[in-house]
Amino acid sequence: MVSPLAPRLTICWVAWGSERLGEAVERLAQVWLITDKDGQELGHRFPSSALRRLVKGAQAAGEDSYHVDARDGVRTLLHPFTGRDPHFALYSIRRENLPAEEAAGRIQPLSIPQTSGLAEGTHFLFMPRNVVICLYNHHGPRIRRLGAWIKDRVDIEVGFVPLYRTDTWDLVDRMQRITGVEVSVPAGQLVGLQSQPDATSGGLLGTLEAAAAAGDGRGTISLRMSVGRGQAQMHQSVLRRLATQLLGMEKHGFTAARIVGKNEFNHTTAIDLLHEQLVSRRTVEAESSRDHEVSASSAHEEMVRTFEEFRQQIEACTRPVDVGGPGTLALIDRESDDVEPGG
C-alpha cells in the first residue's frame, strides 16, 4: 500500500506537432551568462572577437572547423558573421538518414554530394558582462553544443547558465512549503539537455529522460510531483531539491515548468519559470519562403533588441568585466576525412 503522505508522481504522454513556417518565422531569444567549468562567473572577458577572427580565417583557408560529439556523434559547425552584424551561428549537420527529394511528383534520391548535408542553425550574440543572447531554432543545436565546440576546438572550457528575473530564486527560497513541481516537455527536446552541476542524473532530469525512453522518445512528457498536508520533512526536502534542479535546468522547448508552494501568509502561489527566465519571443525574417534559415542581419537585430529589452535585469544580476581573456587563440587540429579544401 502506498502511504497517503508519499509524494504523488504522475507522468503522461501526448502527441505534438511541428511549427508552421513562412517568410517571417518566430524564434525564442534567451539570455545566458558565460561561466567557468564549475558554474562560476568568468573573471575575464570571453574572447568572442578573437574567436570570430580565428574561425573566419580558418574558413578562408579551407580548414576544418567542425566538432563531432564523441557521445552521440552529432556534428556541429561554427560559422562567424562579420561586417555590420557580427555574431555566430552554430549549425548541426545531418549527413546520414536524410529524406528523399520530390520533383514533379516523382521521388528520387537527395541530389546533394556525399560530403554535404542539411544544416540547422542557432544564432549567438556575445554581449557585455559575458552575456550571450541565443536565438533558437526549434531544431537547431542548444547552447551546450556551443560549449562543446569551444572546448574541443580552442581548448577553452566554459559553461552557460540561464538568467532569471532577479527575484526568482528569492521567491522560491521564501516559500514556507513547496507543494508541487510541474513539468511538461516534448520528449525530443530532452536530447542533449543541459542542467546545472547539482542536477544529478538520478534527479529530475533522470526521471524525465527515463520517461522519454519508456515512450520511445516520442510525444510530450508531463510530470507533476506533489504532496498533501502533513507530509514528512523528508518529502518536503525532496520537493525543494527538485525545485532547485528545475530552477537551474535549461528549459528550451519546455511547454510547462512551475513550482507551487505556500508563501509567508500561507497563500498558495505558483512561479511559472518559463516566464521567469529572460526569454523573449521574436519575429525574424527568413532568407526565403521555402526554408526557415533566418536572415543574419534580422537575427542580429532581434538579438540586440532582446538585450535592450532585458538590460535592466541583466545589469542587476551580472557585473562588468574589464579583464582581458586568454591570449592568442588557435584551432586544435581534428581529423576530418570528408572536408575538402575550400569546402
Side-chain angles (χ1 to χ4, degrees), residues 23-31 84-88 123-127 131-137 278-286 294-311 314:
E23 294 185 0
V25 294
E26 285 197 341
R27 294 287 185 267
L28 291 180
Q30 183 168 2
V31 183
R84 296 180 58 185
D85 307 303
H87 69 283
F88 291 92
H123 291 250
F124 299 94
L125 179 62
F126 290 85
M127 300 297 285
V131 163
V132 179
I133 310 297
C134 176
L135 190 70
Y136 283 106
N137 173 1
L278 300 188
V279 178
S280 180
R281 186 172 295 276
R282 318 301 302 187
T283 300
V284 190
E285 293 180 10
V294 300
S295 157
S297 60
S298 180
H300 182 271
E301 180 180 1
E302 293 305 319
M303 288 188 288
V304 170
R305 287 180 175 175
T306 299
F307 182 83
E308 293 300 329
E309 176 184 346
F310 294 123
R311 178 185 286 273
I314 291 170

Side-chain angles (χ1 to χ4, degrees), residues 169-219:
W169 289 84
D170 290 338
L171 290 175
V172 175
D173 286 341
R174 290 203 302 267
M175 283 184 173
Q176 301 299 304
R177 185 164 64 96
I178 295 179
T179 58
V181 174
E182 303 172 8
V183 176
S184 182
V185 56
Q189 293 293 317
L190 292 171
V191 178
L193 190 68
Q194 179 188 23
S195 61
Q196 290 287 75
D198 61 350
T200 61
S201 59
L204 180 59
L205 179 56
T207 301
L208 293 171
E209 289 175 333
D216 197 25
R218 302 177 182 178

Side-chain angles (χ1 to χ4, degrees), residues 28-29 49 87 106 109 158 180 190 210-211 221 241-242 271 310 324 326 333:
L28 291 180
S49 296
H87 69 283
R106 301 184 64 180
V158 295
L190 292 171
I221 310 302
R241 184 173 70 249
L242 291 176
I271 300 175
F310 294 123
D333 289 338

Side-chain angles (χ1 to χ4, degrees), residues 228-258:
R229 294 182 178 180
Q231 76 280 3
Q233 183 61 35
M234 179 185 68
H235 300 146
Q236 178 60 199
S237 65
V238 168
L239 277 175
R240 193 165 290 276
R241 184 173 70 249
L242 291 176
T244 300
Q245 292 177 3
L246 183 57
L247 272 170
M249 184 182 295
E250 178 187 337
K251 289 176 279 293
H252 169 61
F254 280 45
T255 54
R258 300 171 74 240

